[in-house]
Amino acid sequence: MTTIRAIRGMNDILPEESVAWQYLESAIAAVLDSYGYGEIRLPIVEQTALFRRSIGEVTDIVEKEMYSFDDRNGESLTLRPEGTAGCVRAAIQNSLLGVPQRLWYSGPMFRYERPQKGRQRQFHQVGAEAFGIATPDIDAELILLSARLWRLLGVADHVQLQINSIGSSGARQAYRTALVDYLTGHREALDEDSQRRLQSNPLRILDSKHPGTREILADAPVLTDYLDAESRADFARLGELLQAASVPYVVNPQLVRGLDYYNKTVFEWVTDKLGAQGTICAGGRYDGLVEQLGGKPTPGVGFALGKERLVLLLEALAVAPPVPAAADIYVVNAGTAAEVAAVAALETLRDALPALRIVQHTGGGSFRSQLKKADKSGARWALIWGEDEVASGTVTVKSLREQGPQESMVVADLPNYLAQHSAP
RNA sequence: GUGGCCGUAGCUCACCUGGUAGAGCACCGGAUUGUGACUCCGGAGGUAGCGGGUUCAAGACCCGUCGGCCACCCCA
């Protein structure tokens, strides 16, 4: 019988790993909440058209990475490859955009890619989006809250902020023309992918890693020189605000985005600790997207961060919290009478001390084997019920982490005893 | 989609130039009647990813396939 495995690139997150995930998630939720962002929960499946219209027809995501399928009624659906499109769709549909909105969401995204470190087919993002605010102060806010998150998580010293402005669509058109003109003159020296993108998506040539292409790019026209006055001013303002908040950044004129809906400010948080997939958080402004998806013209800006990559970074820097012991108390109970006595007493104990993690031994076995399990569990105490205890209505408390005699007491005294000794 | 490396017990790995599988850890049991850790003794566990080929003989060599990792690409 062939065993069934998980789909390639779709991974289980095991209990020992979920500790770091929960740590990360609670930090993220706390920071977003503290800046006044409200959580929005969105479907994982949307109409395929939503992504085609927002992400862009000629992007790799839409061309070859989406999990699309026909619903039973023949409608084409897609497992969301990113979160912004669905968030915008929901904001429009639920009439949230009459006033400025600060929203965040979290969950799985799906792209059919070749898995490698920091990249899987089901991956998890947290997104934050702000709608209805056209000024760069909101761009700064999003960056500042992400910077706060890095500090809270203890990774701030190992991430770098890169920012750029890709301008209005008009400015980008003008630049695109200039770039294509220039690169066409050096067509032969470009790598194959870049030659292809000369037609399809020339701006993406800017972040090619191919050495020959990089050489050509060194003398290429610079996007910054083509920016419209407003983009230029907003970008300068963003720089001022970041400086005022003491958030260091580098301007990377070659920073572009893979999704078509971005304009003006774009930014990326990168690290050199994760190998090739070093971007842990990226975003930018998308002032045309709401209108493009059928809403009233509404400016927008947001970012997405990759939870897998953050967890990898926490591990690489050893700042994730340690995996706690499986239990505080492990209950040894030998024999059916002991089991009955223990069950009754433990329910009372759980009522009295709900924070205590109590694992009752199940499945039988000798005292010796049960004690071994108790030790393995990492529990601080073993509670022991055997024939003697049942006969006398007592329980034995044995400390597993420090030397000293074990104590017996009447069952009714147990909650008080443990409450008094629970302090670290 | 392309390339490199790699698939042997639950885990980490060994078995050198082909002769029919081993260690450590983990697991289970025991070392005086009801007491863990340390130690000792014993035990269980693998059709060597799968399929084909070469050979008297393949875990070792060859091909294919599936899977893993890393990189390209892409991107969070």
Side-chain angles (χ1 to χ4, degrees):
Chain A
M1 182 123 102
T2 53
T3 55
I4 296 176
R5 310 185 85 257
I7 305 303
R8 182 173 205 191
M10 304 199 183
N11 300 326
D12 304 312
I13 297 166
L14 304 178
E16 61 178 35
E17 302 164 311
S18 65
V19 173
W21 281 75
Q22 287 172 7
Y23 169 71
L24 175 67
E25 284 160 355
S26 61
I28 291 169
V31 170
L32 285 163
D33 184 56
S34 78
Y35 278 78
Y37 286 66
E39 185 186 2
I40 184 168
R41 300 199 176 203
L42 302 161
I44 289 170
V45 181
E46 297 273 3
Q47 287 186 31
T48 300
L50 174 66
F51 303 115
R52 304 193 79 94
R53 268 159 70 177
S54 57
I55 296 169
E57 296 281 357
V58 298
T59 56
D60 278 21
I61 294 176
V62 169
E63 279 181 345
K64 51 195 184 192
E65 294 180 358
M66 294 206 300
Y67 282 91
S68 297
F69 59 96
D70 284 348
D71 200 355
R72 288 180 181 277
N73 61 8
E75 182 177 31
S76 179
L77 307 182
T78 294
L79 264 41
R80 62 182 182 194
E82 61 100 38
T84 299
C87 186
V88 169
R89 192 229 84 228
I92 296 169
Q93 184 179 332
N94 296 287
S95 307
L96 302 182
L97 299 180
V99 293
Q101 281 288 346
R102 290 174 167 85
L103 302 171
W104 73 277
Y105 53 83
S106 175
M109 309 290 165
F110 302 84
R111 294 181 201 170
Y112 188 85
E113 296 188 278
R114 189 83 172 260
Q116 71 180 75
K117 185 172 186 182
R119 189 175 78 183
Q120 36 282 126
R121 290 180 176 179
Q122 177 179 326
F123 60 104
H124 299 81
Q125 287 187 335
V126 173
E129 318 282 359
F131 296 101
I133 305 154
T135 46
D137 45 0
I138 188 67
D139 305 9
E141 176 180 290
L142 283 160
I143 291 173
L144 294 185
L145 83 80
S146 56
R148 178 170 300 278
L149 178 61
W150 313 145
R151 292 197 298 273
L152 184 60
L153 291 171
V155 303
D157 292 344
H158 303 275
V159 297
Q160 184 197 54
L161 173 63
Q162 299 189 355
I163 62 174
N164 190 27
S165 177
I166 58 173
S168 65
S169 72
R172 219 156 44 251
Q173 289 291 327
Y175 174 68
R176 181 193 304 244
T177 306
L179 182 66
V180 171
D181 283 352
Y182 169 81
L183 291 175
T184 305
H186 300 81
R187 193 189 170 83
E188 295 313 312
L190 296 177
D191 61 283
E192 214 176 298
D193 285 315
S194 295
Q195 290 188 19
R196 185 173 44 77
R197 276 183 299 200
L198 219 39
Q199 271 87 46
S200 60
N201 202 347
L203 258 48
R204 291 221 56 86
I205 299 174
L206 290 178
D207 51 21
S208 168
K209 290 178 189 167
H210 188 264
T213 301
R214 292 229 62 84
E215 223 168 283
I216 303 297
L217 285 171
D219 295 320
V222 180
L223 179 53
T224 319
D225 297 336
Y226 288 77
L227 287 186
D228 52 292
E230 188 180 87
S231 294
R232 201 181 290 273
D234 284 358
F235 191 57
R237 179 70 182 151
L238 172 62
E240 281 174 37
L241 292 169
L242 293 177
Q243 228 153 25
S246 301
V247 172
Y249 62 90
V250 299
V251 175
N252 175 0
Q254 301 195 327
L255 180 65
V256 292
R257 310 267 56 235
L259 287 63
D260 281 358
Y261 51 64
Y262 287 106
N263 69 312
K264 285 183 149 181
T265 298
V266 296
F267 63 93
E268 241 174 68
W269 288 96
V270 298
T271 176
D272 59 4
K273 305 292 179 203
L274 297 184
Q277 310 298 324
T279 301
I280 55 166
C281 174
R285 190 162 269 287
Y286 47 85
D287 294 328
L289 183 58
V290 172
E291 189 175 11
Q292 199 177 321
L293 292 178
K296 290 184 190 150
T298 306
V301 57
F303 67 72
L305 61 82
K307 289 206 256 178
E308 279 82 359
R309 291 184 186 177
L310 251 332
V311 169
L312 284 173
L313 187 58
L314 295 177
E315 284 165 4
L317 300 175
V319 293
V323 178
D328 298 314
I329 289 178
Y330 195 97
V331 179
V332 170
N333 45 188
T336 51
E339 219 171 87
V340 169
V343 163
L346 292 177
E347 285 307 307
T348 306
L349 183 58
R350 288 186 162 108
D351 289 340
L353 301 169
L356 221 46
R357 293 167 311 151
I358 302 167
V359 173
Q360 181 175 14
H361 182 86
T362 48
S366 66
F367 267 91
R368 175 189 159 80
S369 66
Q370 292 194 32
L371 254 313
K372 277 191 176 183
K373 293 281 190 348
D375 186 50
K376 283 265 157 46
S377 76
R380 186 168 166 193
W381 292 292
L383 299 187
I384 300 172
W385 269 277
E387 282 178 28
D388 298 350
E389 285 82 359
V390 172
S392 58
T394 59
V395 56
T396 299
V397 180
K398 178 182 177 68
S399 173
L400 297 170
R401 303 301 147 207
E402 49 201 69
Q403 293 302 327
Q406 56 192 37
E407 298 192 45
S408 284
M409 63 198 69
V410 295
V411 170
D413 290 344
L414 187 57
N416 263 341
Y417 177 89
L418 291 174
Q420 277 167 25
H421 291 76
S422 280

